[in-house]
């Protein structure tokens, strides 16, 4: 096999043979070759001294596959999304995010230049999040049986001893915080996809939030949980939390930050902004007395300047008929915020 | 949304909303709902007491995406493969395999009954391997942009203190062991795919090998490495090891166990059996004085009855021109066993 430039992904790139080896060494190792990855064994061998020095610490583990289309969009691409999405999922446990895996499913004919751009973007996002890509896998499917590129990332982090977070821990009296504007990612994707004219200024918010989460936990140890409102948007996330904790959550519409352009786009397209996906925002439920401190920590973080306290948790009353999420609207009325039924924006992440 | 039976995967199953919730609760939780998975948070929160009780122990982490076609084949299905493949990758590090993640990419229209069969098979394989599925993700892509089902599994295990395995540790004088017959998986897949008549009796060897690996390590602490000869077959695996350790490996053809039917199929189809994928076999390089003990441990294991010592490691001599793998043939000659070039059997795992 000569070393001529190969412009597209070939079936042989997934064969386990020489071409795959070349792809791994010349692209993946070059872009994000951590020490465990360069070792080249079937499993990464990772030291966890921190964990042993902190008896009672635990492991956080999460996985996400990214199938977003288009692969490139204002504010990011599938590579940045794949790193940030899993970093954020692991970080919601309160863990220090340490290690990521990366599994590609490439379609025969995918442009090598696009793959390079995506890998470069992954490397940059990993560096920003201060995590290492330590193990990987590459599969190639024949033309017409994939969609260019799908990326799975799984992530491992260390949860300090004594730290327990989870949706089930939300309590009546707690405050609900949101780290910034909602709807940006979903609207950026759909406007790119449909070639809508307002697309030029709405950007995806895809971002790693692990540093923001750490900052909140430092000042608000009574944080109950974090959750990132991705698919299904803020509505679905809050409904999950209400169900897990058997509580009622009431959100003040006027406290929820939304970009004017995103609001306009949602009205035009008939979307409920509360159900539109976000990729760089976090919902945080925290004990009331720590809410201001948590809010300030968010606002001092790179991705939290528009953070707000958006609502509070109460107990389930007879008239609620069970765990529920209410929106107190700007008009003084109250409506139920439902979990997304059906499909609003397919393949958003 | 009423609770009518839904026969196929819909886009809404990947929306983050109610249908996805139902799929998770009614299928995934039912089949393999471990305690951390049932918690329903974005990241699994996992205790690692064993690790803390063994100072110097380390973490093993690996990932693999499965795109095999067809999804069902003699001896297994994509679900069994997805569990066994990652269990084996993690186990090669000498780790006790503990936790798996599972990421599905489903194509709109995929039969719900097939998904159920696959999940059931995953649950069974996980039970056999004694590992838990602790976190997951489900994406749905529109019809024509996937191929029914792709599954990513990532796995985490604990490597006991002082245990170091890796391809780079192979040394001249070491023996090379193989846990059983080669080529079964690849030939089972290709014969099913092509509807060949000899397909009836050749079965995939897909199996979890973590218990076999543990048994070997107990009696052969000077094991240098394990590697499972999947894509690219035994040839590619040995070439990887020779390169990593800068050695020459010589394999005795008559020692390598091959089923007669697999041999026949390879001859008929023009495949080199040394390059055909396996999914339930392991290559093990071990210090010479422990080779017999390792062999006996393999043979006493459920999946190792046909294990054999197939060759040995020597140093690179001038005439070799670098790390190499030789096959000493049954005819007394010697040929180079090359890494697979190009693509022999696409989408074999």
């Amino acid at each position: 096999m000569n070393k001529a430039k190969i412009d597209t992904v070939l079936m042989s790139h997934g064969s386990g043979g020489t071409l795959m080896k070349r792809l791994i060494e010349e692209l993946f190792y070059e872009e994000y070759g951590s020490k465990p990855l360069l070792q080249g064994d079937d499993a990464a061998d990772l030291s966890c001294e921190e964990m042993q020095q902190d008896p009672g610490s635990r492991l956080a583990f999460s996985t996400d596959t990214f199938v977003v289309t288009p692969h490139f969009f204002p504010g990011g691409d599938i590579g940045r999304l794949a790193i940030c999405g899993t970093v954020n999922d692991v970080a919601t446990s309160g863990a220090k995010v340490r290690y990521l895996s990366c599994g590609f499913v490439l379609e025969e004919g995918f442009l090598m230049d696009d793959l390079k751009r995506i890998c470069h973007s992954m490397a940059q996002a990993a560096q920003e999040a201060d995590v290492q890509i330590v193990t990987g896998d590459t599969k190639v499917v024949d033309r017409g049986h994939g969609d260019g590129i799908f990326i799975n990332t799984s992530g491992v982090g260390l949860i300090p001893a004594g730290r327990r977070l989870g949706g089930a821990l939300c309590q009546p009296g707690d405050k609900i915080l949101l780290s910034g504007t909602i709807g940006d990612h979903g609207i950026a994707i759909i406007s790119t996809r449909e070639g809508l004219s307002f697309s030029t200024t709405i950007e995806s918010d895809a971002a790693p939030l692990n540093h923001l989460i750490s900052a909140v936990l430092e000042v608000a140890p009574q944080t109950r949980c974090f959750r990132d409102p991705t698919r299904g948007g803020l509505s679905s996330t809050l409904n999950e939390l209400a169900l897990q904790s058997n509580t009622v959550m009431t959100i003040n519409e006027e406290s929820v930050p939304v970009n004017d352009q995103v609001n306009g786009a949602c009205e035009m397209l008939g979307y409920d902004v509360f159900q539109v996906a976000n990729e760089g925002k976090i919902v945080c439920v925290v004990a009331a007395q720590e809410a201001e401190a948590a809010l300030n920590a968010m606002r001092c973080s790179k991705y939290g300047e528009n953070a707000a306290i958006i609502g509070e948790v109460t107990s389930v009353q007879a008239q609620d008929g069970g765990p529920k999420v209410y929106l107190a609207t700007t008009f003084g009325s109250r409506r139920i915020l439902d979990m997304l039924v059906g499909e609003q924006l397919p393949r958003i992440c």
Side-chain angles (χ1 to χ4, degrees), chain A residues 5 27 90 128 133 221 229 251 348:
Chain A
K5 192 170 178 303
L27 180 53
V90 175
E128 185 185 349
I133 299 170
I251 303 301
I348 207 71

Side-chain angles (χ1 to χ4, degrees), chain A residues 92-114:
Chain A
T92 58
S93 67
K96 178 167 183 195
V97 192
R98 292 289 304 272
Y99 304 118
L100 294 186
S101 67
C102 170
F104 291 110
V105 177
L106 306 175
E107 185 187 3
E108 180 185 22
F110 189 62
L111 285 181
M112 205 50 96
D113 280 343
D114 284 352

Side-chain angles (χ1 to χ4, degrees), chain A residues 171 173-176 248-252 309-314:
Chain A
Q171 293 171 27
D174 288 349
K175 297 292 182 187
I176 303 165
V248 165
M249 299 196 167
T250 303
I251 303 301
N252 303 308
I309 297 176
I310 61 167
E312 59 183 5
V313 184
T314 54

Side-chain angles (χ1 to χ4, degrees), chain A residues 227-266:
Chain A
R227 181 102 14 124
D228 58 337
T230 57
R231 284 179 287 173
L234 186 60
S235 284
S236 293
T237 293
L238 293 170
N239 272 284
E240 278 173 35
L241 297 179
L243 275 171
Q244 278 184 284
S245 57
N246 192 34
T247 59
V248 165
M249 299 196 167
T250 303
I251 303 301
N252 303 308
E253 187 171 19
E254 59 187 5
S255 320
V256 178
V258 188
N259 277 327
D260 287 343
Q261 287 188 309
V262 169
N263 243 337
C266 282

Side-chain angles (χ1 to χ4, degrees), chain A residues 271-341:
Chain A
Y271 293 142
D272 180 350
V273 71
F274 289 92
Q275 295 191 334
V276 177
N278 311 278
E279 290 292 337
K281 297 294 151 37
I282 203 89
V283 173
C284 168
V285 180
V286 61
Q289 65 273 26
E290 292 179 353
E292 282 298 326
L295 180 66
N296 288 333
M298 278 188 181
R299 286 190 174 160
C300 293
S301 292
K302 183 174 175 188
Y303 296 113
E305 58 178 9
N306 298 313
I309 297 176
I310 61 167
E312 59 183 5
V313 184
T314 54
S315 55
V316 177
Q317 304 297 316
Q319 68 268 28
D320 300 318
K324 231 166 221 78
V325 181
Y326 294 110
L327 185 73
T329 70
T330 42
F331 308 108
S333 66
R334 196 175 79 157
R335 71 172 173 100
I336 291 174
L337 266 190
D338 248 339
M339 193 171 263
L340 179 63
V341 178

Side-chain angles (χ1 to χ4, degrees), chain A residues 68-73 76-79 110 114 118 147-149 347:
Chain A
V68 67
T69 170
H71 303 125
F72 301 94
F73 44 81
D77 57 39
I78 190 172
F110 189 62
D114 284 352
I118 289 166
D147 201 6
I149 183 168
R347 298 185 58 187

